[in-house]
Amino acid sequence: MPTKPYYAPGSLSAAFYDVVTAADVRLAGDIGIYAELAPPGAQVLELGTGSGRVAAALAERGFAVTGIDIARPMLEQAKARLGSLPADVAGRIELRLGDMTALDLKRAFDLVICPYFGLAHLPAGAAWRNAFATAARHLADGGLAAFHLPSPAAMRQPPADPTAPVLEQPLAGGARLRLYVRERRFREDLGRLQQVIDYVELDRAGRELRRSSERLAYYMADPGPPAALAGLALDRPPIPLGGVGEIWVFRKA
Ligand SMILES: C[S@@+](CC[C@H](N)C(=O)[O-])C[C@H]1O[C@@H](n2cnc3c(N)ncnc32)[C@H](O)[C@@H]1O
């Protein structure tokens, strides 16, 4: 079966993003960490806002959030989420198609966040330097930028058993979603973890309804140097989250 990139049009990674993240205990508490980084009512820019999981939760707490994402299928879900929110909460969220390596909204925010490994989707190097420059360009002096990145231990996992589901989640009407890691390879020289994840949707009788193989790459590097180049200094020790990553918080001098 041909593989699709993660979050591509028609991908099941986009369609089931909320189902999978809701089941992911390793993300528990991330929103509380971001909310502590700025006072309620602050202006927040989220790079890689995805389906609006974090943007909606921050808007519920009184923040005004601008969320940008490069993937239309993810932004479509974020837009659909707005419709389910109270009007005042939805009114505090602005969504835009955009690339975190080349964004210039010509305005400053109190806080820039890049949750759940958003930056790690991009090769370390020029893309990371540009993403940190984007964060710095959109921050008021003294503002914070928080990037959630995978830990080295999470990147250097052994190959998975492709026959054993890594996740099984109930869906509406008795259907089920199963995820398998079909391939997993870490290249030390590139700091890159490449995975092929099979999404399988089953009906209530266990018959396969949809199946899709999707490629997910994460890149690992020390974020300190590209952040420093952009004028961002580490503000505190990285905050561990869920045993698989850390939230790195930088301050614009
Ligand atoms: C794991 S999701 C995180 C979504 C959301 N922030 C959350 O925490 O649930 C990563 C998101 O980053 C987006 N992304 C990847 N590369 C991007 C880029 N260059 N610019 C903007 N968004 C990007 C993906 O499309 C995806 O929606």
Side-chain angles (χ1 to χ4, degrees), residues 41 55 58-66 86-94:
L58 290 180
E60 273 160 7
R61 294 177 189 220
F63 294 93
V65 186
T66 299
D88 58 327
V89 175
R92 286 196 286 275
I93 301 174
E94 190 188 333

Side-chain angles (χ1 to χ4, degrees), residues 24-225:
D24 194 344
V25 291
R26 300 166 308 177
L27 285 176
D30 67 341
I31 286 152
I33 293 172
Y34 302 124
E36 290 282 303
L37 298 176
Q43 309 277 318
V44 180
L45 172 63
E46 184 181 6
L47 305 175
T49 198
S51 68
R53 176 185 71 91
V54 177
L58 290 180
E60 273 160 7
R61 294 177 189 220
F63 294 93
V65 186
T66 299
I68 70 111
D69 205 284
I70 203 166
R72 287 180 197 275
M74 297 297 276
L75 274 184
E76 288 309 318
Q77 293 200 55
K79 283 181 193 152
R81 187 192 292 273
L82 290 194
S84 69
L85 297 174
D88 58 327
V89 175
R92 286 196 286 275
I93 301 174
E94 190 188 333
L95 299 168
R96 283 175 175 241
L97 190 64
D99 181 344
M100 70 173 89
T101 67
L103 184 77
D104 191 357
L105 298 176
K106 308 216 180 300
R107 56 172 285 216
F109 294 79
D110 305 301
L111 173 66
V112 175
I113 59 172
C114 188
Y116 194 13
F117 303 169
L119 181 69
H121 288 294
L122 312 178
W128 280 35
R129 286 195 294 279
N130 292 338
F132 279 107
T134 293
R137 186 159 56 239
H138 291 89
L139 269 182
D141 287 348
L144 298 176
F147 288 82
H148 181 201
L149 293 170
S151 59
M155 300 284 286
R156 295 191 178 99
Q157 293 176 60
D161 173 355
T163 64
V166 291
L167 182 79
E168 172 141 6
Q169 273 301 108
L171 301 171
R176 305 192 72 72
L177 176 69
R178 271 195 203 140
L179 265 59
Y180 299 83
V181 178
R182 203 175 77 196
E183 285 174 35
R184 180 189 281 147
R185 198 165 353 128
F186 181 67
R187 289 248 331 237
E188 200 73 48
D189 55 334
L190 300 174
R192 183 186 68 197
L193 175 70
Q194 265 190 323
Q195 302 186 88
V196 175
I197 302 187
D198 285 356
Y199 282 69
V200 183
E201 186 185 4
L202 304 164
D203 69 11
R204 57 186 309 149
R207 285 183 298 252
E208 205 170 295
L209 294 172
R210 289 193 283 179
R211 173 182 282 267
S212 175
S213 284
E214 309 198 354
R215 289 189 306 281
L216 174 64
Y218 287 134
Y219 294 85
M220 179 179 79
D222 178 358

